Amino acid sequence: MALSQDILAELAEIAPGSPLAEARAAREAATRHAQGSYEILFSQQDSDFALDERFAVAAKVAKWHNAEALAAHYAGFGLADPTSARLTPALSFARLLTFSPAEATPGALNALTQAGWSKEGIVTLAQLIAFVSFQSRLIAGLRLLNDRPVAASDVAPVAGVWHTNATTITGKAAPVAFTQQELGWEPWLAARPLADFRDDEVAILAKFGHTDSDYFRLLGRNLPVLEQRTLTDKGIFYTPGGLPRAERELAATVASKINGCIYCASVHARKASQLSKDDSAIDALLAVRPGQSLSEGQSARWQAEINFAAALSVTPPAASPLHLAALQKQDLDTLAQLDLVQSTAFFAWANRLMLTLGEPWLS
């Protein structure tokens, strides 16, 4: 069995030349690098995390998302024994990242280390789980836009829980509420020292402006995946036309509220506030307590977008044709709808890395 040439188009049943195919072509970088991320993750010949282990984890994560066709795709490859001493803690880690990433602690990483996982293997494992979480939501969203059936979910799209410890594991003051202020972030797993990168690898980090970032140097333990992921991010958020940038940042903030990621929300709420010039609306969103609706009190357009993003962000995704109809009532065309799907889905990936590989601190 071979990797798909365009797995999203295949599993969302997107016909060439259709309006959705044309919208994806208009977002060529996002389309190409989402596919590139898939190809890199599932082709690397890496002794730190073998391919049969990768397919076993991916199939399980896709199944947890009710992405049955995606799960079957990954299960079609050779799968490692899920009860092995290495995969048992890896699948426990995968369940944590899938359903409750805000509950992660350094103990989950320690369990992997004790089972023989290297730092490079742990980073790739986290990337793979987070990527399949993103990929599953992209397929669900694309199927909705393509008028194809999607799996039902009874999970309520409400604000999630978040960390409330007042200090980090190293003793720094930690945020205990969502905020627009700038925060620091420290890893629970050692970042790769800059001196350990080759010159060409340093050039890749420098291209994205992140040679001094612990987060990027940690993810740089698998640099090809990091590069594809970063290019996917830029293809989703930094492209002209379609959904206004402020509303893409709004979607990122909503996903971060669902997943309980204070750090990601601080960055993207601040951007949404600056771009929309509606600081009070963003503050109201950030102030929503766990278990409450995220859209109350917002404008009709933002309510439709927030409700869609929240429903796509829960696990398994709960976005439905009714959510899509509300977007269409607000005159979001196919390209704008695609931007909303991709902006939301990407933060299923981003939040899961931020929440499970480290924690924020008050800078």
Side-chain angles (χ1 to χ4, degrees), residues 2-58:
L3 295 179
S4 169
Q5 294 300 303
D6 185 346
I7 189 170
L8 296 175
E10 176 185 318
L11 296 185
E13 303 178 51
I14 301 171
S18 65
L20 183 53
E22 291 176 359
R24 291 184 75 228
R27 293 291 178 256
E28 187 274 337
T31 299
R32 175 159 46 94
H33 294 296
Q35 176 71 16
S37 299
Y38 156 79
E39 291 174 359
I40 288 288
L41 274 165
F42 296 103
S43 66
Q44 289 178 323
Q45 301 296 325
D46 189 341
S47 60
D48 286 304
F49 189 9
L51 281 177
D52 61 346
E53 294 176 327
R54 297 187 189 201
F55 288 122
V57 173

CSV table of all heavy atoms in Angstrom, one decimal, residues 2-58:
chain,number,residue,atom,x,y,z
A,2,ALA,N,0.5,2.2,-0.8
A,2,ALA,CA,1.4,3.5,-0.9
A,2,ALA,C,0.7,4.6,-0.3
A,2,ALA,O,-0.6,4.7,-0.1
A,2,ALA,CB,1.6,3.7,-2.4
A,3,LEU,N,1.4,5.6,0.1
A,3,LEU,CA,0.9,6.9,0.6
A,3,LEU,C,0.1,7.6,-0.5
A,3,LEU,O,0.4,7.5,-1.7
A,3,LEU,CB,2.0,7.8,1.1
A,3,LEU,CG,2.8,7.4,2.3
A,3,LEU,CD1,3.9,8.4,2.6
A,3,LEU,CD2,1.9,7.1,3.5
A,4,SER,N,-1.1,8.2,-0.1
A,4,SER,CA,-1.9,8.9,-1.1
A,4,SER,C,-1.2,10.1,-1.7
A,4,SER,O,-0.5,10.8,-1.0
A,4,SER,CB,-3.2,9.3,-0.4
A,4,SER,OG,-4.0,10.1,-1.2
A,5,GLN,N,-1.5,10.4,-2.9
A,5,GLN,CA,-1.0,11.6,-3.6
A,5,GLN,C,-1.6,12.9,-3.1
A,5,GLN,O,-1.1,14.0,-3.1
A,5,GLN,CB,-1.1,11.5,-5.1
A,5,GLN,CG,-0.3,10.4,-5.7
A,5,GLN,CD,1.2,10.5,-5.4
A,5,GLN,OE1,1.8,11.6,-5.8
A,5,GLN,NE2,1.8,9.6,-4.8
A,6,ASP,N,-2.9,12.8,-2.6
A,6,ASP,CA,-3.6,13.9,-2.0
A,6,ASP,C,-4.6,13.3,-1.1
A,6,ASP,O,-5.8,13.2,-1.5
A,6,ASP,CB,-4.2,14.8,-3.1
A,6,ASP,CG,-4.9,16.1,-2.5
A,6,ASP,OD1,-5.0,16.1,-1.2
A,6,ASP,OD2,-5.2,17.0,-3.2
A,7,ILE,N,-4.2,13.0,0.1
A,7,ILE,CA,-5.1,12.2,1.0
A,7,ILE,C,-6.3,13.0,1.4
A,7,ILE,O,-7.4,12.4,1.6
A,7,ILE,CB,-4.3,11.7,2.2
A,7,ILE,CG1,-5.2,10.8,3.0
A,7,ILE,CG2,-3.8,12.9,3.1
A,7,ILE,CD1,-4.4,10.0,4.1
A,8,LEU,N,-6.2,14.3,1.5
A,8,LEU,CA,-7.4,15.1,1.9
A,8,LEU,C,-8.5,15.1,0.8
A,8,LEU,O,-9.7,14.9,1.1
A,8,LEU,CB,-7.0,16.5,2.2
A,8,LEU,CG,-6.1,16.7,3.4
A,8,LEU,CD1,-5.6,18.1,3.6
A,8,LEU,CD2,-6.8,16.2,4.7
A,9,ALA,N,-8.0,15.3,-0.5
A,9,ALA,CA,-9.0,15.3,-1.6
A,9,ALA,C,-9.6,13.9,-1.7
A,9,ALA,O,-10.8,13.7,-2.0
A,9,ALA,CB,-8.3,15.6,-2.9
A,10,GLU,N,-8.8,12.9,-1.5
A,10,GLU,CA,-9.3,11.5,-1.6
A,10,GLU,C,-10.4,11.2,-0.6
A,10,GLU,O,-11.5,10.7,-0.9
A,10,GLU,CB,-8.1,10.5,-1.5
A,10,GLU,CG,-8.5,9.1,-1.5
A,10,GLU,CD,-7.3,8.2,-1.2
A,10,GLU,OE1,-6.2,8.5,-1.8
A,10,GLU,OE2,-7.4,7.2,-0.5
A,11,LEU,N,-10.1,11.5,0.7
A,11,LEU,CA,-11.0,11.1,1.8
A,11,LEU,C,-12.2,12.1,1.9
A,11,LEU,O,-13.2,11.7,2.5
A,11,LEU,CB,-10.2,11.0,3.1
A,11,LEU,CG,-9.2,9.8,3.1
A,11,LEU,CD1,-8.6,9.7,4.5
A,11,LEU,CD2,-9.8,8.5,2.7
A,12,ALA,N,-12.0,13.3,1.4
A,12,ALA,CA,-13.1,14.2,1.4
A,12,ALA,C,-13.9,14.1,0.1
A,12,ALA,O,-14.9,14.8,0.0
A,12,ALA,CB,-12.7,15.6,1.6
A,13,GLU,N,-13.5,13.3,-0.8
A,13,GLU,CA,-14.2,13.0,-2.1
A,13,GLU,C,-14.3,14.3,-2.9
A,13,GLU,O,-15.4,14.6,-3.4
A,13,GLU,CB,-15.5,12.4,-1.8
A,13,GLU,CG,-15.5,11.1,-1.1
A,13,GLU,CD,-16.8,10.5,-0.8
A,13,GLU,OE1,-17.6,10.4,-1.8
A,13,GLU,OE2,-17.1,10.1,0.4
A,14,ILE,N,-13.3,15.1,-3.0
A,14,ILE,CA,-13.3,16.4,-3.7
A,14,ILE,C,-13.1,16.2,-5.2
A,14,ILE,O,-12.0,15.7,-5.6
A,14,ILE,CB,-12.3,17.3,-3.1
A,14,ILE,CG1,-12.5,17.6,-1.6
A,14,ILE,CG2,-12.3,18.7,-3.8
A,14,ILE,CD1,-11.4,18.3,-0.9
A,15,ALA,N,-14.0,16.5,-6.0
A,15,ALA,CA,-13.9,16.3,-7.4
A,15,ALA,C,-13.0,17.4,-8.0
A,15,ALA,O,-13.1,18.6,-7.7
A,15,ALA,CB,-15.3,16.4,-8.1
A,16,PRO,N,-12.1,17.1,-9.0
A,16,PRO,CA,-11.3,18.1,-9.6
A,16,PRO,C,-12.2,19.1,-10.3
A,16,PRO,O,-13.2,18.8,-10.9
A,16,PRO,CB,-10.5,17.2,-10.7
A,16,PRO,CG,-10.5,15.9,-10.1
A,16,PRO,CD,-11.8,15.7,-9.4
A,17,GLY,N,-11.8,20.4,-10.2
A,17,GLY,CA,-12.5,21.4,-10.9
A,17,GLY,C,-13.8,21.9,-10.1
A,17,GLY,O,-14.4,22.9,-10.5
A,18,SER,N,-14.1,21.3,-9.0
A,18,SER,CA,-15.2,21.7,-8.2
A,18,SER,C,-14.8,23.0,-7.4
A,18,SER,O,-13.6,23.4,-7.3
A,18,SER,CB,-15.5,20.7,-7.1
A,18,SER,OG,-14.5,20.5,-6.2
A,19,PRO,N,-15.8,23.8,-6.9
A,19,PRO,CA,-15.5,25.0,-6.2
A,19,PRO,C,-14.6,24.8,-5.0
A,19,PRO,O,-13.7,25.6,-4.8
A,19,PRO,CB,-16.9,25.5,-5.7
A,19,PRO,CG,-17.8,25.0,-6.8
A,19,PRO,CD,-17.3,23.6,-7.1
A,20,LEU,N,-14.7,23.6,-4.3
A,20,LEU,CA,-13.8,23.4,-3.2
A,20,LEU,C,-12.4,23.0,-3.7
A,20,LEU,O,-11.4,23.5,-3.1
A,20,LEU,CB,-14.4,22.2,-2.4
A,20,LEU,CG,-13.6,21.8,-1.1
A,20,LEU,CD1,-13.4,23.0,-0.2
A,20,LEU,CD2,-14.3,20.7,-0.3
A,21,ALA,N,-12.3,22.3,-4.8
A,21,ALA,CA,-11.0,22.1,-5.4
A,21,ALA,C,-10.3,23.4,-5.8
A,21,ALA,O,-9.1,23.5,-5.6
A,21,ALA,CB,-11.1,21.1,-6.6
A,22,GLU,N,-11.1,24.3,-6.3
A,22,GLU,CA,-10.5,25.6,-6.7
A,22,GLU,C,-10.1,26.4,-5.5
A,22,GLU,O,-9.1,27.1,-5.6
A,22,GLU,CB,-11.5,26.3,-7.6
A,22,GLU,CG,-11.8,25.7,-8.9
A,22,GLU,CD,-12.9,26.4,-9.8
A,22,GLU,OE1,-13.4,27.4,-9.2
A,22,GLU,OE2,-13.1,26.0,-10.9
A,23,ALA,N,-10.9,26.3,-4.4
A,23,ALA,CA,-10.5,27.0,-3.2
A,23,ALA,C,-9.2,26.4,-2.6
A,23,ALA,O,-8.3,27.2,-2.2
A,23,ALA,CB,-11.6,26.9,-2.2
A,24,ARG,N,-9.1,25.1,-2.7
A,24,ARG,CA,-7.8,24.5,-2.2
A,24,ARG,C,-6.6,24.9,-3.1
A,24,ARG,O,-5.5,25.1,-2.6
A,24,ARG,CB,-8.0,23.0,-2.1
A,24,ARG,CG,-8.9,22.5,-1.0
A,24,ARG,CD,-8.9,21.0,-1.0
A,24,ARG,NE,-7.7,20.5,-0.3
A,24,ARG,CZ,-7.0,19.5,-0.8
A,24,ARG,NH1,-7.3,18.9,-2.0
A,24,ARG,NH2,-5.9,19.1,-0.1
A,25,ALA,N,-6.9,25.0,-4.4
A,25,ALA,CA,-5.8,25.5,-5.3
A,25,ALA,C,-5.4,26.9,-5.0
A,25,ALA,O,-4.2,27.3,-5.1
A,25,ALA,CB,-6.3,25.3,-6.7
A,26,ALA,N,-6.4,27.7,-4.6
A,26,ALA,CA,-6.1,29.1,-4.2
A,26,ALA,C,-5.3,29.2,-2.9
A,26,ALA,O,-4.6,30.2,-2.6
A,26,ALA,CB,-7.4,29.9,-4.0
A,27,ARG,N,-5.4,28.1,-2.1
A,27,ARG,CA,-4.5,28.0,-0.9
A,27,ARG,C,-3.5,26.9,-1.1
A,27,ARG,O,-3.3,26.0,-0.3
A,27,ARG,CB,-5.4,27.6,0.3
A,27,ARG,CG,-6.4,28.7,0.7
A,27,ARG,CD,-5.7,29.9,1.3
A,27,ARG,NE,-6.6,31.0,1.7
A,27,ARG,CZ,-6.7,32.1,1.0
A,27,ARG,NH1,-6.0,32.3,-0.1
A,27,ARG,NH2,-7.5,33.1,1.4
A,28,GLU,N,-2.7,27.1,-2.2
A,28,GLU,CA,-1.8,26.1,-2.7
A,28,GLU,C,-0.8,25.7,-1.6
A,28,GLU,O,-0.4,24.5,-1.5
A,28,GLU,CB,-1.1,26.6,-4.0
A,28,GLU,CG,-0.3,25.5,-4.7
A,28,GLU,CD,1.2,25.5,-4.1
A,28,GLU,OE1,1.6,26.5,-3.6
A,28,GLU,OE2,1.8,24.5,-4.3
A,29,ALA,N,-0.2,26.7,-0.9
A,29,ALA,CA,0.8,26.4,0.0
A,29,ALA,C,0.3,25.6,1.2
A,29,ALA,O,0.9,24.6,1.6
A,29,ALA,CB,1.4,27.7,0.6
A,30,ALA,N,-0.9,25.9,1.7
A,30,ALA,CA,-1.5,25.1,2.8
A,30,ALA,C,-1.8,23.7,2.3
A,30,ALA,O,-1.5,22.7,3.0
A,30,ALA,CB,-2.8,25.8,3.3
A,31,THR,N,-2.3,23.6,1.1
A,31,THR,CA,-2.7,22.3,0.5
A,31,THR,C,-1.4,21.4,0.4
A,31,THR,O,-1.3,20.3,0.8
A,31,THR,CB,-3.4,22.4,-0.8
A,31,THR,OG1,-4.6,23.1,-0.6
A,31,THR,CG2,-3.7,21.1,-1.5
A,32,ARG,N,-0.4,22.0,-0.2
A,32,ARG,CA,0.9,21.3,-0.5
A,32,ARG,C,1.6,20.9,0.8
A,32,ARG,O,2.1,19.8,0.9
A,32,ARG,CB,1.8,22.2,-1.4
A,32,ARG,CG,3.2,21.6,-1.6
A,32,ARG,CD,3.8,22.2,-2.9
A,32,ARG,NE,3.7,23.7,-2.9
A,32,ARG,CZ,4.6,24.5,-2.4
A,32,ARG,NH1,5.7,24.0,-1.9
A,32,ARG,NH2,4.4,25.8,-2.4
A,33,HIS,N,1.7,21.8,1.8
A,33,HIS,CA,2.4,21.4,3.0
A,33,HIS,C,1.7,20.6,4.0
A,33,HIS,O,2.3,19.9,4.8
A,33,HIS,CB,3.0,22.7,3.6
A,33,HIS,CG,4.0,23.4,2.7
A,33,HIS,ND1,5.2,22.8,2.3
A,33,HIS,CD2,4.0,24.6,2.0
A,33,HIS,CE1,5.9,23.6,1.5
A,33,HIS,NE2,5.1,24.7,1.3
A,34,ALA,N,0.4,20.6,4.0
A,34,ALA,CA,-0.4,19.7,4.8
A,34,ALA,C,-0.1,18.3,4.2
A,34,ALA,O,0.1,17.3,5.0
A,34,ALA,CB,-1.9,20.0,4.7
A,35,GLN,N,-0.1,18.1,2.9
A,35,GLN,CA,0.3,16.9,2.3
A,35,GLN,C,1.7,16.5,2.5
A,35,GLN,O,2.1,15.4,2.8
A,35,GLN,CB,0.0,16.9,0.8
A,35,GLN,CG,0.4,15.7,0.0
A,35,GLN,CD,-0.4,14.5,0.2
A,35,GLN,OE1,-1.5,14.6,0.7
A,35,GLN,NE2,0.1,13.3,-0.2
A,36,GLY,N,2.6,17.5,2.5
A,36,GLY,CA,4.0,17.3,2.8
A,36,GLY,C,4.3,16.8,4.2
A,36,GLY,O,5.1,16.0,4.4
A,37,SER,N,3.5,17.4,5.1
A,37,SER,CA,3.6,16.9,6.5
A,37,SER,C,3.3,15.4,6.6
A,37,SER,O,4.0,14.7,7.3
A,37,SER,CB,2.7,17.7,7.4
A,37,SER,OG,3.0,19.1,7.4
A,38,TYR,N,2.2,15.0,6.0
A,38,TYR,CA,1.8,13.6,6.0
A,38,TYR,C,2.9,12.8,5.4
A,38,TYR,O,3.2,11.7,5.9
A,38,TYR,CB,0.5,13.6,5.2
A,38,TYR,CG,0.1,12.3,4.6
A,38,TYR,CD1,-0.5,11.2,5.3
A,38,TYR,CD2,0.2,12.1,3.2
A,38,TYR,CE1,-0.8,10.0,4.7
A,38,TYR,CE2,-0.1,10.9,2.6
A,38,TYR,CZ,-0.7,9.9,3.3
A,38,TYR,OH,-1.0,8.7,2.7
A,39,GLU,N,3.4,13.2,4.3
A,39,GLU,CA,4.4,12.4,3.6
A,39,GLU,C,5.7,12.2,4.4
A,39,GLU,O,6.3,11.1,4.4
A,39,GLU,CB,4.7,13.0,2.2
A,39,GLU,CG,3.5,12.9,1.2
A,39,GLU,CD,3.7,13.6,-0.1
A,39,GLU,OE1,4.8,14.2,-0.3
A,39,GLU,OE2,2.8,13.5,-1.0
A,40,ILE,N,6.1,13.3,5.0
A,40,ILE,CA,7.3,13.2,5.8
A,40,ILE,C,7.1,12.3,7.0
A,40,ILE,O,7.9,11.5,7.3
A,40,ILE,CB,7.8,14.7,6.3
A,40,ILE,CG1,8.3,15.5,5.1
A,40,ILE,CG2,8.8,14.6,7.4
A,40,ILE,CD1,9.7,15.0,4.6
A,41,LEU,N,6.0,12.5,7.7
A,41,LEU,CA,5.8,11.8,9.0
A,41,LEU,C,5.7,10.3,8.7
A,41,LEU,O,6.1,9.5,9.5
A,41,LEU,CB,4.5,12.3,9.6
A,41,LEU,CG,4.6,13.5,10.6
A,41,LEU,CD1,3.3,14.1,10.9
A,41,LEU,CD2,5.3,13.1,11.9
A,42,PHE,N,5.2,9.9,7.5
A,42,PHE,CA,4.9,8.5,7.3
A,42,PHE,C,5.8,7.9,6.2
A,42,PHE,O,5.5,6.9,5.6
A,42,PHE,CB,3.4,8.3,6.9
A,42,PHE,CG,2.5,8.7,8.1
A,42,PHE,CD1,1.8,9.9,8.1
A,42,PHE,CD2,2.4,7.8,9.2
A,42,PHE,CE1,1.0,10.2,9.1
A,42,PHE,CE2,1.6,8.2,10.2
A,42,PHE,CZ,0.9,9.4,10.2
A,43,SER,N,7.0,8.5,6.1
A,43,SER,CA,8.0,7.9,5.2
A,43,SER,C,9.4,7.9,5.8
A,43,SER,O,10.3,7.3,5.3
A,43,SER,CB,8.1,8.7,3.8
A,43,SER,OG,8.5,10.0,4.0
A,44,GLN,N,9.6,8.7,6.9
A,44,GLN,CA,11.0,8.7,7.5
A,44,GLN,C,11.4,7.4,8.0
A,44,GLN,O,10.7,6.7,8.7
A,44,GLN,CB,11.0,9.7,8.7
A,44,GLN,CG,10.9,11.2,8.3
A,44,GLN,CD,10.8,12.1,9.5
A,44,GLN,OE1,10.2,11.7,10.5
A,44,GLN,NE2,11.4,13.2,9.4
A,45,GLN,N,12.6,7.0,7.6
A,45,GLN,CA,13.2,5.7,8.0
A,45,GLN,C,14.0,6.0,9.3
A,45,GLN,O,15.1,6.3,9.2
A,45,GLN,CB,14.0,5.1,6.9
A,45,GLN,CG,13.3,4.7,5.7
A,45,GLN,CD,12.2,3.7,5.9
A,45,GLN,OE1,12.3,2.8,6.6
A,45,GLN,NE2,11.1,3.8,5.1
A,46,ASP,N,13.3,6.0,10.4
A,46,ASP,CA,13.9,6.5,11.7
A,46,ASP,C,13.9,5.4,12.7
A,46,ASP,O,12.8,5.0,13.1
A,46,ASP,CB,13.1,7.7,12.1
A,46,ASP,CG,13.8,8.5,13.2
A,46,ASP,OD1,14.6,7.9,13.9
A,46,ASP,OD2,13.4,9.7,13.4
A,47,SER,N,15.0,5.1,13.2
A,47,SER,CA,15.1,4.0,14.3
A,47,SER,C,14.5,4.5,15.6
A,47,SER,O,14.1,3.7,16.4
A,47,SER,CB,16.5,3.6,14.5
A,47,SER,OG,17.3,4.7,14.9
A,48,ASP,N,14.4,5.8,15.8
A,48,ASP,CA,13.8,6.3,17.0
A,48,ASP,C,12.3,6.1,17.1
A,48,ASP,O,11.7,6.2,18.1
A,48,ASP,CB,14.1,7.8,17.2
A,48,ASP,CG,15.5,8.1,17.6
A,48,ASP,OD1,16.0,7.5,18.6
A,48,ASP,OD2,16.2,8.8,16.8
A,49,PHE,N,11.6,5.9,15.9
A,49,PHE,CA,10.2,5.8,15.9
A,49,PHE,C,9.9,5.1,14.5
A,49,PHE,O,9.7,5.8,13.5
A,49,PHE,CB,9.5,7.1,16.0
A,49,PHE,CG,8.0,7.1,16.2
A,49,PHE,CD1,7.3,5.9,16.4
A,49,PHE,CD2,7.3,8.3,16.1
A,49,PHE,CE1,5.9,6.0,16.5
A,49,PHE,CE2,5.9,8.3,16.2
A,49,PHE,CZ,5.2,7.1,16.5
A,50,ALA,N,9.8,3.8,14.5
A,50,ALA,CA,9.7,3.0,13.3
A,50,ALA,C,8.3,3.3,12.6
A,50,ALA,O,7.3,3.6,13.3
A,50,ALA,CB,9.8,1.5,13.6
A,51,LEU,N,8.3,3.0,11.3
A,51,LEU,CA,7.1,3.3,10.6
A,51,LEU,C,5.9,2.4,11.0
A,51,LEU,O,4.7,2.9,11.1
A,51,LEU,CB,7.3,3.1,9.1
A,51,LEU,CG,8.0,4.2,8.3
A,51,LEU,CD1,8.3,3.8,6.9
A,51,LEU,CD2,7.2,5.5,8.4
A,52,ASP,N,6.1,1.2,11.4
A,52,ASP,CA,4.9,0.4,11.8
A,52,ASP,C,4.4,0.9,13.1
A,52,ASP,O,3.2,0.8,13.3
A,52,ASP,CB,5.3,-1.1,11.9
A,52,ASP,CG,6.4,-1.4,12.9
A,52,ASP,OD1,7.1,-0.5,13.3
A,52,ASP,OD2,6.6,-2.6,13.2
A,53,GLU,N,5.2,1.5,13.9
A,53,GLU,CA,4.7,2.1,15.2
A,53,GLU,C,3.9,3.4,14.8
A,53,GLU,O,2.9,3.7,15.4
A,53,GLU,CB,5.9,2.5,16.1
A,53,GLU,CG,6.6,1.2,16.6
A,53,GLU,CD,7.8,1.6,17.5
A,53,GLU,OE1,8.5,2.7,17.2
A,53,GLU,OE2,8.1,0.9,18.4
A,54,ARG,N,4.4,4.1,13.9
A,54,ARG,CA,3.8,5.4,13.5
A,54,ARG,C,2.4,5.1,12.9
A,54,ARG,O,1.4,5.8,13.3
A,54,ARG,CB,4.6,6.1,12.4
A,54,ARG,CG,5.9,6.6,12.9
A,54,ARG,CD,6.7,7.5,11.9
A,54,ARG,NE,8.0,7.7,12.4
A,54,ARG,CZ,8.8,8.7,12.0
A,54,ARG,NH1,8.3,9.6,11.1
A,54,ARG,NH2,10.0,8.9,12.4
A,55,PHE,N,2.3,4.1,12.1
A,55,PHE,CA,0.9,3.8,11.5
A,55,PHE,C,0.0,3.3,12.6
A,55,PHE,O,-1.2,3.6,12.5
A,55,PHE,CB,1.1,2.7,10.4
A,55,PHE,CG,1.7,3.3,9.1
A,55,PHE,CD1,2.9,2.8,8.6
A,55,PHE,CD2,1.1,4.4,8.5
A,55,PHE,CE1,3.4,3.3,7.4
A,55,PHE,CE2,1.6,4.9,7.3
A,55,PHE,CZ,2.8,4.4,6.8
A,56,ALA,N,0.5,2.5,13.5
A,56,ALA,CA,-0.3,2.0,14.6
A,56,ALA,C,-0.9,3.1,15.4
A,56,ALA,O,-2.1,3.2,15.8
A,56,ALA,CB,0.4,1.0,15.5
A,57,VAL,N,-0.1,4.1,15.8
A,57,VAL,CA,-0.5,5.3,16.6
A,57,VAL,C,-1.5,6.1,15.7
A,57,VAL,O,-2.6,6.5,16.2
A,57,VAL,CB,0.6,6.1,17.0
A,57,VAL,CG1,0.2,7.4,17.7
A,57,VAL,CG2,1.5,5.3,18.0
A,58,ALA,N,-1.2,6.4,14.5
A,58,ALA,CA,-2.0,7.2,13.6
A,58,ALA,C,-3.4,6.6,13.5
A,58,ALA,O,-4.4,7.3,13.5
A,58,ALA,CB,-1.4,7.4,12.3
